[in-house]
Amino acid sequence: MPGSVTTSTATTVLPLSLCTAFEEAREFPGAGNEYRNGEFQGAAEATTSRRRWRLSKRITPTTLATLRTFYFARKGPHAAFYFYYPFSEHDPTGASATGRYLVRFDSEWQQESFIARMNTNLQLIEIA
């Protein structure tokens, strides 16, 4: 059917590397109107929250190349993949559902180069 949206599926897992900074946020999507007299009328658009993560990594050039290849293979924010919460067991096959989230990138590729290390910041958003 023209105009229909297919459900995202993932076949890959974000490669494991340590984060120098890790931030998680939750949002509850909703719609609302604010009237001239200051009253607000709002409604939830979903029954559950949506997670977002910001990851900062200081990694070796080899690990950066792996991560960069992964990012561009997903065409940036256009393809879904699995992300394992850093405080859970990482499964590179994606078979374990414990701590696994279906996500996509929510930022453009960024990197900074230093002697022997590279910095990159990634933003992920949950899609399922």
Side-chain angles (χ1 to χ4, degrees):
M1 172 188 273
S4 62
V5 178
T6 59
T7 304
S8 295
T9 57
T11 58
T12 58
V13 176
L14 181 69
L16 179 64
S17 58
L18 296 177
C19 298
T20 57
F22 176 79
E23 178 183 330
E24 180 181 7
R26 289 183 136 186
E27 63 183 30
F28 291 88
N33 290 321
E34 187 170 342
Y35 299 101
R36 285 183 176 221
N37 64 356
E39 289 182 20
F40 180 80
Q41 181 181 13
E45 292 181 337
T47 57
T48 59
S49 64
R50 185 178 198 184
R51 290 181 168 95
R52 289 178 178 271
W53 295 273
R54 288 185 188 183
L55 313 173
S56 294
K57 297 176 177 282
R58 178 166 235 171
I59 50 184
T60 64
T62 305
T63 306
L64 179 80
T66 302
L67 194 55
R68 189 175 194 275
T69 301
F70 182 84
Y71 179 89
F72 286 105
R74 311 282 86 65
K75 296 178 178 57
H78 296 290
F81 56 92
Y82 290 123
F83 165 68
Y84 280 91
Y85 194 75
F87 307 109
S88 67
E89 195 68 36
H90 184 268
D91 178 11
T93 66
S96 174
T98 305
R100 181 184 76 185
Y101 296 93
L102 183 62
V103 300
R104 67 173 175 80
F105 288 108
D106 195 33
S107 62
E108 299 301 320
W109 180 259
Q110 303 172 29
Q111 75 182 54
E112 294 177 290
S113 299
F114 298 97
I115 296 173
R117 293 279 188 243
M118 310 292 183
N119 280 352
T120 185
N121 297 311
L122 303 172
Q123 293 181 33
L124 309 175
I125 187 166
E126 185 178 23
I127 57 175

